Amino acid sequence: MANEKDFLIPFSGLKQGEHQFEYHIEKDFFDLFNYSEFNSTNITVKVKLLKKTTMLELEFSQKGTVNVPCDVTNEDFDLPIEGELKLVVKFGEEFNDENEELLILPYAEYQINVAQYIYEMIALSVPYKRVHPDIADAYELDADEDDDLDFLDSDDLELINEEDLSENELNETEEDSDNNKETDPRWDKLKQLLTDK
């Protein structure tokens, strides 16, 4: 069972310089945040902490998989994800986390809880559309016809443009022939009334 205490980094006891931390994130971690979007997770999170005299710099990176249902087939699959997050920690009179990239900790603070930042980084790295890899290629091509053009070379595109032009010419000649057809004389009289005004 994941515990928030596991994600506390006591920076006051660390020497100045770079320090590495690593966490293995499984589904029980998300239970801490009442987040139930994933069936299971297998994610490795690395935190690089650079301690300076007046501030801390943290770089989070994560890579792994989350098991989610496919939006198209509803079949569960392992979706690969990865992401990064940077955080600067400064010290001030009171706690302030209003800025996403800057955290202000009170001067008396001696540790930082990184659980919230890990949670947000992972949750934001999961794409909105979750499509099983077996059908992803076909789904993407159907969803956006412009992607089909990526596979064509310039000769193919010229040929398509020529075909479009000849089709337009054919439509124009059909319209011309429609205009040349004899019309009902009663309509001609009515048209003449409109133009006489």
Side-chain angles (χ1 to χ4, degrees):
M1 184 72 185
N3 192 323
E4 268 199 75
K5 290 179 182 176
D6 300 334
F7 299 92
L8 290 173
I9 298 177
F11 57 81
S12 65
L14 300 175
K15 293 180 181 178
Q16 285 190 21
E18 193 175 292
H19 304 273
Q20 301 279 346
F21 302 89
E22 189 170 307
Y23 303 95
H24 186 72
I25 306 298
E26 293 181 346
K27 187 178 182 319
D28 59 349
F29 170 79
F30 295 96
D31 294 339
L32 296 172
F33 300 93
N34 296 319
Y35 188 79
S36 57
E37 289 282 313
F38 310 139
N39 300 323
S40 63
T41 63
N42 183 13
I43 302 167
T44 300
V45 174
K46 293 181 180 178
V47 180
K48 183 170 78 174
L49 184 148
L50 180 62
K51 184 177 180 182
K52 298 182 177 180
T53 51
T54 58
M55 64 184 215
L56 308 170
E57 291 179 7
L58 290 99
E59 288 183 21
F60 298 81
S61 64
Q62 55 96 3
K63 190 172 185 175
T65 59
V66 292
N67 188 277
V68 291
C70 172
D71 289 340
V72 178
T73 64
N74 210 27
E75 180 184 343
D76 292 343
F77 72 103
D78 287 334
L79 176 68
I81 59 165
E82 56 185 284
E84 294 180 346
L85 176 76
K86 291 187 178 183
L87 178 68
V88 173
V89 181
K90 292 190 174 183
F91 300 93
E93 295 299 323
E94 56 186 40
F95 180 88
N96 185 337
D97 64 350
E98 291 173 5
N99 188 322
E100 292 177 3
E101 297 175 358
L102 176 67
L103 172 66
I104 309 289
L105 288 179
Y107 291 115
E109 198 62 61
Y110 63 94
Q111 61 186 4
I112 180 172
N113 186 343
V114 294
Q116 180 71 33
Y117 297 99
I118 292 172
Y119 162 71
E120 288 175 8
M121 176 181 63
I122 293 171
L124 292 173
S125 68
V126 177
Y128 180 71
K129 275 270 189 218
R130 303 164 186 180
V131 182
H132 197 290
D134 291 347
I135 62 163
D137 293 336
Y139 181 76
E140 285 174 12
L141 290 176
D142 290 342
D144 188 3
E145 289 178 356
D146 291 341
D147 288 348
D148 290 340
L149 298 179
D150 295 340
F151 301 109
L152 302 174
D153 60 24
S154 57
D155 294 336
D156 293 333
L157 288 172
E158 283 178 25
L159 185 62
I160 288 171
N161 289 334
E162 284 175 20
E163 287 175 6
D164 285 345
L165 285 174
S166 60
E167 193 174 308
N168 288 339
E169 288 168 4
L170 180 65
N171 290 340
E172 286 172 12
T173 56
E174 284 175 5
E175 286 172 14
D176 290 343
S177 65
D178 287 346
N179 292 338
N180 293 337
K181 286 182 185 174
E182 288 188 22
T183 57
D184 186 338
R186 292 173 292 183
W187 288 113
D188 291 338
K189 293 279 185 192
L190 287 171
K191 286 180 188 175
Q192 192 174 6
L193 286 173
L194 287 172
T195 55
D196 287 345
K197 287 184 179 180

